[in-house]
Amino acid sequence: MKRTMLWLLLLMVLPVGAAQVEDPVGLEQLRKTAESGNVEAMLELGILYEYGFKMPDNKPPALVWYRLAAEAGNAKAGARYDALKGSMNGKEIEEANKLYTELSATVRKPAPRAETSPPVAPGPPEAPTRTQTAPKEPAKQETPSSAAQ
């Protein structure tokens, strides 16, 4: 009975291990998207490297992708960058800096986000200002008798 249970457990665990096949095409597409300047793809790649989902657990590349995404304006990537950097040793940070130098030369910088401010409602109309001017004197008309003088 124990032997049968052991085989059943083994068969139940085996398919789980076999299901963890890496998807190199999907990962390669994600990397290309990140390198083309997609900030969300940069963040996702950083997360995949940091936690090792379908990638080796590798902190220096994770730090680099977080840094690139943070520099492009992603606040979440900036927070993850700070947290991860605080947990790394000097050797890992040095490795990340070298990798950053290489990657930052090849990764396209995303276009700056357009600052969109909400439309400003027009204020109350301004009251017309009154200007004080001297009253005009009526023009002196020449009469035929004054022109002859």
Side-chain angles (χ1 to χ4, degrees):
M1 180 74 170
K2 286 184 180 183
R3 204 171 187 177
T4 307
M5 290 298 283
L6 182 62
W7 279 107
L8 286 174
L9 285 173
L10 184 61
L11 289 175
M12 291 173 68
V13 173
L14 186 61
V16 173
Q20 294 180 351
V21 176
E22 290 191 21
D23 178 14
V25 175
L27 293 175
E28 184 61 29
Q29 182 61 40
L30 180 63
R31 184 179 196 81
K32 285 180 182 179
T33 303
E35 288 176 350
S36 73
N38 184 299
V39 179
E40 293 301 318
M42 292 176 193
L43 175 62
E44 183 68 24
L45 213 49
I47 292 169
L48 290 175
Y49 272 113
E50 181 180 4
Y51 293 103
F53 299 120
K54 297 185 181 181
M55 295 190 147
D57 182 22
N58 206 341
K59 291 180 181 179
L63 191 69
V64 171
W65 286 111
Y66 287 152
R67 181 176 176 183
L68 290 168
E71 287 174 352
N74 188 302
K76 187 175 184 179
R80 293 187 87 83
Y81 172 84
D82 291 339
L84 180 60
K85 187 175 181 183
S87 71
M88 293 171 65
N89 63 39
K91 184 179 177 184
E92 290 172 322
I93 292 173
E94 183 179 325
E95 184 182 338
N97 287 335
K98 287 178 185 177
L99 185 57
Y100 173 79
T101 303
E102 295 170 13
L103 276 177
S104 64
T106 60
V107 173
R108 186 162 47 108
K109 305 291 184 236
R113 293 181 179 178
E115 291 295 324
T116 56
S117 56
V120 178
E126 292 184 28
T129 58
R130 295 185 182 199
T131 57
Q132 300 259 331
T133 58
K136 290 187 179 180
E137 291 185 29
K140 212 176 196 184
Q141 292 185 357
E142 288 189 36
T143 58
S145 60
S146 65
Q149 295 173 351

